[in-house]
């Protein structure tokens, strides 16, 4: 006997309230997760609609008290059933419960008041209207006469304004309504976020041959019914956005809708403006700074067909479009697509899943594709489109220079500006051009390196940086390896070995001292936390109200600044030292993107990369703008240490308020993970999580590596079973996710 759990009111806050029904014989084989069904509910005989969220052979209550499903609903696949299926995928792959997944994909409907615009519509033709106005005048119905005259040449009038201006009573309007002379109509007014100004409509750019080839191939396949994943790999400024817009146009023409994901930070305003000036009011926007009302309305617009393109970070994916045909993930390599909270889904993977469910195509775009995506493109699983040149004919690729900071120290320059960079900035100041100074702060502050030779302290087993705990202990966050903090560099013996830490504020102060008179703006989390803070700073810089912009990785995202001719990267290595196996990839991506900022327009650009490790392949390849070589080297590293995408890696995060129970659980799961019949599973840890104690909760991590995803899934269910039977199950929570 099979049972289905059903949520009845999907728009309600209680999506986690499910009711179990028996699947009758007549419906066997037709009920799946996401299937819309009709069910008996409450004491009345009425049936209600709901969605199946789970199918199981285990009754939750006494089977005698479980009623039968009434029927499967006739309507085809709805947006809701698709999103519920997506939630199921999340539950299976991202280590969360079905409730948590449902709450993510079906955003709780806030109780926000719909705003309605009422209007008056005259139902008479022009002649009849004149006639009626004359008659009203004859009968001295002056209010009626005023209204009928106001309709001259204007069949629709705004309700409130007209009533006020013409001093009409409700009775007058009702009277005319009853006579069939006018109708009162109401129209939902959607709250529009600030983007909706009145940008001039912009005609599509004339695509260059590479852009055209990508768009044409995509559209031809689309028309043949071919759906799949496409990787649009184009250097910064190669015109990827124009290609997306062409693809979207094609999909919209066929009556389907499109979702465009952009990274969390910084891009929103400019991107929306570009899409808006192409597609007008068919654009809907979703992002974290919208009010509840605005959010609700944007989703409503997707549901009702008022909008057909949804733009935004991760959550835009959950737009309830009736029939999405294309999902675009711009800057697909960005880390902000990874959710940091449960469910820890990666929006790129969720997008692939949704595209599959919806029969849509997925387009991933990047100047520096993630190793995962590029590997799939090379294997033929994804179709690869390349854009190799700048789209604007007169914009050149910048000149890149690498400065070795060890040499600077040797020659007595202890400032954070190398002589080359200081000179280059001064040249821009004299010429009235702009400079961006970028500090790579994605890394943790806790790594330790030598300023004389550039050596960083790394784990001998995992080849990632060690992190300084307190003042004297270095720890590996993958395997738990520890060592004492040395007081001299183990390679060159220099005493200049210390934890690195430089903030944007300090750089701003140093720059002010080094370049007196220069106007300096700073952009980091402190200066942008206000609503609109980002846009204000960027707009001021674009208006050339400052000569130098100092900032974190925020400033390197897709902005176009025509007067910027110099980008200085102050400490390119910083992100190389974060205790994360992807830090080489992050560094390469950040440097390549930063270099892409310079000289986007008529003026040629220059990039200066300051580093302690000029020979590191991530830095050398970024300087040479050489993705292929970087990819080969990084994949060799991943293969050697079995990191993704060369292997699959399952992270098991354990947390507990009781340290003893936590240790017990971690040891037991580690033992069980390696003790099974599966071969070739490598178990690393347990180790303390990068932040071990948060709010009195202790956290440990275990990593499992294997080439075969299915084997890891099998081990995961075994560990789940062990947890359920354990003595510590009430004290320790366990989360699974894939790296
Ligand atoms: P990407 O998204 O690859 O960084 P964009 O789409 O932002 O590149 O394009 C970079 C610049 O080139 C933009 O200002 C854009 O308007 C312009 N552009 C794009 N395609 C063309 C084209 N075919 N002809 C002329 N200019 C173009
Ligand atoms: Zn050294
Ligand atoms: Zn280690």
């Amino acid at each position: 006997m099979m049972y289905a759990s059903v949520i009845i009111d999907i728009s309600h806050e209680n999506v986690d309230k499910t009711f179990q029904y028996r699947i009758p014989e007549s419906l066997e084989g037709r009920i799946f997760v996401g299937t819309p069904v009709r069910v008996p509910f409450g004491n009345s005989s009425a049936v209600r609609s709901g969605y199946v969220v789970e199918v199981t052979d285990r009754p939750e209550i006494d089977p005698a008290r479980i009623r039968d499903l009434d029927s499967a609903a006739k309507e085809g696949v709805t947006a809701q059933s698709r999103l519920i299926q997506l939630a199921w995928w999340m539950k299976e792959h991202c280590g969360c419960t079905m409730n948590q997944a449902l709450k993510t994909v079906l955003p709780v409907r806030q109780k926000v008041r719909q705003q309605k615009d009422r209007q008056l519509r005259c139902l008479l033709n022009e002649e009849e209207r004149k006639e009626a106005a004359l008659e009203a005048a004859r009968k001295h119905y002056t209010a009626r006469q005023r209204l009928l005259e106001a309709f001259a040449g204007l069949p629709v009038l705004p309700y409130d304004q007209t009533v006020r201006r013409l001093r009409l009573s409700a009775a007058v309007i009702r009277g005319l309504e009853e006579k069939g002379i006018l109708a009162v109509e109401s129209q939902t007014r959607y709250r529009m976020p600030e983007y909706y100004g009145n940008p001039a409509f912009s005609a599509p750019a004339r695509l260059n041959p590479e852009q055209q080839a990508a768009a044409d191939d995509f559209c031809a396949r689309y028309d043949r019914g071919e759906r799949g994943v496409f990787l649009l790999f184009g250097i910064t400024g190669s015109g990827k956005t124009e290609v997306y817009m062409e693809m979207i146009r094609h999909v919209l023409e066929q009556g389907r809708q499109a979702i465009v994901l952009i990274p969390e930070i910084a891009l929103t305003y400019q991107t929306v403006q570009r899409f808006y000036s192409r597609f007008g009011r068919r654009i809907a926007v979703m992002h974290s700074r919208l009010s509840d009302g605005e959010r609700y309305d944007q989703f409503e617009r997707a549901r009702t067909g008022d909008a057909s393109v949804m733009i935004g970070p991760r959550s835009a994916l959950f737009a309830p479009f009736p029939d999405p045909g294309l999902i675009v993930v711009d800057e697909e390599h960005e880390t902000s697509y990874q959710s940091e909270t449960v469910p820890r889904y990666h929006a790129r993977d969720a997008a692939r899943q949704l595209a599959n469910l919806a029969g849509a195509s997925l387009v991933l775009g990047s100047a520096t594709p993630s190793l995962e995506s590029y590997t799939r493109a090379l294997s033929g699983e994804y179709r690869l489109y390349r854009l190799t040149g700048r789209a604007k004919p007169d914009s050149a690729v910048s000149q890149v220079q690498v400065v070795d900071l060890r040499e600077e120290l040797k020659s007595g320059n202890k400032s954070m500006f190398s002589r080359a960079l200081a000179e280059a900035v001064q040249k821009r100041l004299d010429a009235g051009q702009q400079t961006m100074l970028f500090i790579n702060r994605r890394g943790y502050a806790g790594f330790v390196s030598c300023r004389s030779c550039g050596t960083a302290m790394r784990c001998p087993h995992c080849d990632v940086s060690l992190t300084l705990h307190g003042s004297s202990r270095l720890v590996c966050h993958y395997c738990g390896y520890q060592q004492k903090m040395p007081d001299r560099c183990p390679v060159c013996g220099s005493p200049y070995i210390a934890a690195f830490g430089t903030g944007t504020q300090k750089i701003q102060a140093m720059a002010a001292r080094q370049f007196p008179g220069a106007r300096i703006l700073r952009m980091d989390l402190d200066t942008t936390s206000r609503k609109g803070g980002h846009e204000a700073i960027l707009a001021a810089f674009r208006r050339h109200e400052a000569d130098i912009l100092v900032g974190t990785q925020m400033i390197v995202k897709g902005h176009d600044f025509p007067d910027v001719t110099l980008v200085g990267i102050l400490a390119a290595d910083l992100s190389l030292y974060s205790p994360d196996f992807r830090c080489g990839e992050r560094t390469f991506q950040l440097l390549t993107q930063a270099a892409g900022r310079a000289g986007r327009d008529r003026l040629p650009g220059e990039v200066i990369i300051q580093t302690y490790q000029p020979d590191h392949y991530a830095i050398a390849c970024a300087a040479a703008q050489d993705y292929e070589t970087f990819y080969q080297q990084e994949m060799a590293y991943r293969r050697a240490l079995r990191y993704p995408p060369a292997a699959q890696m399952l992270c098991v995060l354990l947390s507990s308020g009781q340290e003893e129970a936590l240790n017990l659980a971690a040891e037991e799961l580690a033992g069980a993970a390696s003790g099974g019949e599966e071969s070739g599973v490598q178990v690393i840890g347990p180790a303390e999580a990068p932040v071990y104690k948060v709010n009195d909760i202790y956290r440990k991590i275990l990593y499992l590596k294997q080439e075969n995803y299915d084997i890891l899934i099998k081990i995961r269910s075994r560990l789940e079973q062990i947890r359920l039977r354990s003595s510590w199950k009430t004290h320790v929570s366990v989360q699974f996710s894939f790296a």
Side-chain angles (χ1 to χ4, degrees), residues 205-208 211 234-242 274 330 387 391-393 560 600:
R206 214 193 144 80
L207 298 184
N208 64 35
Q211 289 173 311
I235 63 166
T236 26
S238 59
K240 294 184 286 297
T241 310
E242 292 295 326
R274 273 177 83 178
D330 189 27
L387 305 178
K392 284 188 181 165
D560 247 327
R600 302 258 296 176

Side-chain angles (χ1 to χ4, degrees), residues 38-51:
R38 317 262 304 154
V39 294
F41 194 73
N43 294 324
S44 74
S45 59
V47 287
R48 294 183 60 180
S49 308
Y51 287 93

